[in-house]
Amino acid sequence: MLDFAVQTAREAGHILAERFGRVTEVSHKGEINLVTEADLASERFIIERIKSYYPRHAILAEESGASVERGSDYVWIVDPLDGTTNYAHGYPVFAVSIALEYRGEIVLGVVYDPMRDELFAAERGAGATLNGRRVRVSDVEDLSKAMLCTGFPYDVRERGELIGHFRNFIMTAQAVRRDGSAALDLAYVACGRFDGFWEEGLNPWDVAAGVLLVEEAGGRVTDYAGHPFSSYYAPVLASNGLIHEAMMRVLAPT
Ligand code: IPD
Ligand code: CA
Ligand code: CA
């Protein structure tokens, strides 16, 4: 099934790459939450493929929601285009994210960046790879030497308190980025480009694949208080493990 997910993510990525830079139709799901024709074309393609290869599996996809195959042990969790705002502005940072859940546990995850032809994949218990090569989280131990990444939910304008964490990390870490694709941000933690990532208000399709990538690359993923992470709720804190406690201290309520 990993090969199926890899192939599907690659082909969906090509759909995005072909249309990149010539977005004509953008609609708004909220004041700053967009959807383009590329999101829809990629999702249609992925859903059709899952339905033809695994007709009994359930699907949870961002633009169409949950499918009706209730009672299935398998659920495919799909973000057909993570980084839509980047995409709509011609900023080449976006990805396809596909994960498979079996009886409530994520067992495989794939994140594909068609602009760099980078395919991140993980299977539970089998490690994480980038274009077939094994990857590991970084070995940075000190928050002051760490390069972090974060993101903001679409309702950030109503939730000014989120800016507080951003400010606190700017004051303590070496650098903080906001790249606009949670799936890629997590993949970058998995391969050591970022040392840590935090964000709240994410949906299962943003994080399901990326969280498995980080865990399988030797990192740690929890909520802000160090509790086990669930993709169906909650803030996510993902790191190389070594700076996790330090990041928790910065995120602790005051
Ligand atoms: C968004 C991206 C972004 C994050 C938002 C997500 P979308 O997903 O992952 O980085 O900050 O919270 O909603 O809408 O581009 O698929
Ligand atoms: Ca997303
Ligand atoms: Ca999306």
Side-chain angles (χ1 to χ4, degrees):
M1 284 193 278
L2 186 63
D3 289 346
F4 166 81
V6 164
Q7 201 46 41
T8 306
R10 279 192 178 281
E11 289 183 38
H14 295 146
I15 293 176
L16 302 180
E18 267 170 19
R19 292 170 161 74
F20 183 62
R22 44 191 185 92
V23 170
T24 47
E25 288 192 25
V26 179
S27 29
H28 282 252
K29 292 195 275 189
E31 197 185 348
I32 56 173
N33 190 354
L34 309 175
V35 59
T36 71
E37 56 196 332
D39 296 72
L40 302 174
S42 171
E43 182 158 311
R44 265 196 309 272
F45 168 78
I46 296 168
I47 289 181
E48 278 317 305
R49 249 179 87 97
I50 296 171
K51 281 188 174 159
S52 65
Y53 281 76
Y54 302 107
R56 289 174 198 281
H57 289 187
I59 303 170
L60 172 63
E62 177 171 11
E63 309 305 338
S64 17
S67 70
V68 288
E69 281 74 17
R70 288 180 208 289
S72 167
D73 283 338
Y74 288 99
V75 185
W76 291 91
I77 303 176
V78 175
D79 192 335
L81 167 46
D82 187 55
T84 297
T85 307
N86 287 347
Y87 189 90
H89 285 264
Y91 181 71
V93 179
F94 56 87
V96 178
S97 176
I98 300 177
L100 178 63
E101 192 180 78
Y102 177 68
R103 296 189 171 168
E105 182 180 63
I106 304 296
V107 290
L108 70 83
V110 173
V111 173
Y112 181 55
D113 167 1
M115 293 287 100
R116 284 158 207 78
D117 190 26
E118 289 192 328
L119 188 294
F120 299 86
E123 214 168 349
R124 187 162 298 279
T129 57
L130 163 53
N131 289 345
R133 286 214 158 117
R134 204 57 183 262
V135 287
R136 270 200 65 77
V137 292
S138 72
D139 55 10
V140 170
E141 290 179 10
D142 195 338
L143 188 54
S144 67
K145 298 196 172 73
M147 168 108 135
L148 306 180
C149 188
T150 188
F152 300 103
Y154 289 112
D155 63 356
V156 63
R157 291 177 182 177
E158 285 90 61
R159 301 182 56 194
E161 78 278 3
L162 298 182
I163 313 291
H165 294 317
F166 190 71
R167 179 195 170 281
N168 294 340
F169 278 117
I170 297 260
M171 306 304 280
T172 47
Q174 185 170 69
V176 183
R177 301 288 179 258
R178 195 284 194 236
D179 254 5
S181 164
L184 264 190
D185 299 340
L186 287 162
Y188 281 19
V189 174
C191 71
R193 292 175 188 164
F194 290 136
D195 307 303
F197 167 79
W198 82 97
E199 182 167 349
E200 57 192 275
L202 291 165
N203 288 295
W205 46 81
D206 301 313
V207 293
V211 162
L212 184 66
L213 285 166
V214 173
E215 289 176 344
E216 287 298 321
R220 185 172 169 201
V221 186
T222 66
D223 70 6
Y224 289 178
H227 302 122
F229 177 75
S230 152
S231 39
Y232 290 96
Y233 123 94
V236 54
L237 169 59
S239 78
N240 64 3
L242 303 170
I243 59 165
H244 210 83
E245 304 282 326
M247 288 189 73
M248 275 166 54
R249 283 194 290 280
V250 174
L251 292 166
T254 43

